[in-house]
Amino acid sequence: MKNLEKYNILLASNSPRRQELLSQMGINFTVAAKPGIDESFPADLEAEKVPEYIAKKKAEAYLSDLKGNDLLITADTVVVNDGKIIGKPKSADDARAMIASLSGKSHTVLTGVAIYTTQKQISFTSETKVYMSNMTPELIDFYVETYKPLDKAGAYGIQEWIGLTSIYRIEGSYQNVMGLPTQALFDELSKI
């Protein structure tokens, strides 16, 4: 992407999955994640608007540090089940309960992305519907104990065992479920 050559691209994320996806897109970037950014959101904000709100909030924490040739990418992913946001689990038991609540039905994965330069501010949300087969408590235990998904929204990673064995259908971007809607991001970066 020739239009990006003039930019120093910064990815404000410690997520190994986001870093891997951006690398696979052939984009050279530096990880520039600040610790302790407030990711809270208003209690009355619709679930569908939360990830983009947080992605923009993350980007705004860097705004005063951006130089003229910097291009910052931030993202936030949430899982919405029965109209409620499921964040990252706080414990293995919490992860088991989250996966059990997703088992046997569909849920929505939303990723908000913000792209900021000193001149432009772009943000968008990508949505993917995910269908999970029924999982027995033994299968849930196996996944949680083996893969330790405490760093993942909804307590699972689609690129891991659970995605291979229990996700039988998706509508939308697979990469979005991993945490970065690469095709939508590519479209937006092409316009910069």
Side-chain angles (χ1 to χ4, degrees):
M1 295 180 67
K2 268 207 161 330
N3 66 317
L4 296 181
E5 288 176 3
K6 64 183 175 187
Y7 290 108
N8 174 37
I9 299 173
L10 306 171
L11 176 65
S13 176
N14 283 320
S15 164
R17 290 156 297 280
R18 286 191 185 118
Q19 293 170 23
E20 177 186 356
L21 289 169
L22 201 57
S23 280
Q24 288 175 350
M25 290 174 71
I27 295 174
N28 293 320
F29 64 93
T30 303
V31 175
K34 285 184 179 183
I37 293 176
D38 176 23
E39 296 185 21
S40 63
F41 54 89
D44 61 345
L45 189 62
E46 295 172 40
E48 292 75 22
K49 295 183 178 177
V50 167
E52 190 170 336
Y53 176 90
I54 294 173
K56 288 163 69 174
K57 197 172 182 180
K58 288 176 180 178
E60 286 160 11
Y62 292 82
L63 206 47
S64 64
D65 298 331
L66 290 183
K67 311 241 181 324
N69 67 331
D70 288 343
L71 183 148
L72 177 73
I73 301 170
T74 64
D76 191 73
T77 302
V78 299
V79 172
V80 179
N81 184 30
D82 295 328
K84 295 188 178 105
I85 291 177
I86 300 178
K88 294 177 185 173
K90 295 175 177 50
S91 67
D93 285 341
D94 195 23
R96 287 182 188 90
M98 284 182 181
I99 295 169
S101 78
L102 301 173
S103 175
K105 57 186 184 178
S106 67
H107 59 275
T108 303
V109 177
L110 301 165
T111 300
V113 177
I115 304 166
Y116 278 36
T117 68
T118 56
Q119 303 299 311
K120 287 186 179 180
Q121 298 177 359
I122 301 165
S123 64
F124 63 91
T125 299
S126 287
E127 177 178 328
T128 304
K129 194 165 191 177
V130 179
Y131 296 80
M132 186 180 285
S133 61
N134 281 313
M135 293 184 67
T136 64
E138 294 78 23
L139 291 175
I140 293 171
D141 282 345
F142 169 79
Y143 177 70
V144 172
E145 290 167 18
T146 306
Y147 292 91
K148 313 216 180 308
L150 300 184
D151 64 334
K152 295 172 179 68
Y156 77 92
I158 196 168
Q159 70 281 6
E160 297 174 339
W161 178 85
I162 202 168
L164 297 169
T165 62
S166 301
I167 304 297
Y168 64 90
R169 179 175 161 199
I170 67 167
E171 296 169 7
S173 166
Y174 174 85
Q175 290 80 11
N176 186 52
V177 183
M178 287 179 66
L180 193 65
T182 54
Q183 187 277 324
L185 176 61
F186 182 84
D187 277 356
E188 293 299 333
L189 290 173
S190 297
K191 300 173 195 170
I192 298 241

